[in-house]
């Protein structure tokens, strides 16, 4: 198994969507916010200028999203993991979790917007517990409420989109 835990796994569609969002945030969106700040600054007293403060806050959120996307896209894995029954990012996992059968994708939260399937991050408690496990293996993790949750891997197949 390759070490994919540090990489963000994305489908080509999700990668293209995030790349387009980054280009928009760094280009037209950044320029629009800069123009709104300049126009609000020209209105005078900045202490009482709600438009200026709102634009500055939006600028901060825009720059934070740019940094977040750049970090995700810097270390990205695009494509499909091998169909070897080992749980890793990019796999649709069928598991018995606390007695209930669940089907979910182990991958980046960014994938949640592009699929109808529930997505768990590999760094989440559940994701970390099952990463590297094979079909048939049983493991457990500690939930936020301090309960130990038992998990049995029933199936793991590459995400097909």
């Amino acid at each position: 198994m390759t070490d994919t835990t540090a990489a963000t796994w994305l489908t080509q569609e999700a990668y293209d969507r995030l790349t387009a969002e980054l280009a928009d945030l760094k280009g037209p969106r950044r320029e629009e916010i800069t123009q709104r700040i300049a126009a609000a600054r020209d209105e005078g007293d900045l202490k009482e200028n709600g438009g200026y403060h709102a634009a500055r806050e939006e600028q901060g959120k825009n720059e934070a999203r740019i940094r977040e996307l750049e970090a995700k896209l810097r270390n990205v894995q695009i494509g499909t993991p091998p169909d070897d029954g080992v749980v890793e990012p990019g796999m649709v996992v069928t598991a018995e979790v606390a007695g209930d059968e669940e089907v979910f994708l182990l991958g980046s939260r960014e994938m949640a917007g592009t699929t109808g399937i529930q997505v768990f991050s590999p760094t989440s408690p559940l994701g970390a517990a099952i990463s590297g496990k094979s079909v048939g293996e049983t493991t457990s993790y500690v939930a936020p409420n301090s309960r130990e949750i038992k998990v049995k891997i029933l199936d793991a197949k590459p995400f097909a989109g």
Side-chain angles (χ1 to χ4, degrees):
M1 182 176 103
T2 58
D3 181 21
T4 57
T5 55
T8 300
W9 177 84
L10 296 172
T11 61
Q12 185 65 52
E13 175 189 354
Y15 176 80
D16 293 345
R17 180 177 51 83
L18 294 179
T19 302
E21 180 185 353
L22 180 60
D24 180 60
L25 292 174
K26 289 176 86 171
R29 188 79 181 125
R30 185 182 268 168
E31 181 60 32
E32 174 192 326
I33 293 169
T34 301
Q35 288 174 0
R36 287 193 4 236
I37 290 171
R41 189 180 294 128
D42 290 344
E43 292 175 11
D45 185 9
L46 297 181
K47 289 180 191 171
E48 302 293 324
N49 190 329
Y52 173 79
H53 294 291
R56 290 289 300 192
E57 183 176 326
E58 186 176 353
Q59 181 183 44
K61 289 178 183 178
N62 189 65
E63 295 304 314
R65 180 66 175 158
I66 287 171
R67 287 189 301 277
E68 177 186 5
L69 288 174
E70 286 176 338
K72 277 186 169 62
L73 295 173
R74 188 175 306 120
N75 191 18
V76 69
Q77 179 181 343
I78 301 169
T80 306
D83 189 359
D84 57 6
V86 175
V87 176
E88 58 186 304
M91 300 295 273
V92 174
V93 178
T94 304
E96 187 177 297
V97 181
D100 295 325
E101 187 172 304
E102 293 190 35
V103 178
F104 54 89
L105 171 63
L106 187 65
S108 168
R109 294 274 183 202
E110 298 293 342
M111 291 296 302
T114 63
T115 117
I117 190 169
Q118 185 175 14
V119 179
F120 284 98
S121 165
T123 58
S124 69
L126 173 60
I130 64 173
S131 287
K133 301 290 186 226
S134 297
V135 172
E137 284 190 71
T138 301
T139 187
S140 65
Y141 69 96
V142 177
N145 65 2
S146 300
R147 283 188 42 227
E148 184 176 352
I149 308 288
K150 298 220 180 290
V151 181
K152 181 174 183 177
I153 309 301
L154 303 175
D155 194 24
K157 296 286 183 202
F159 179 71

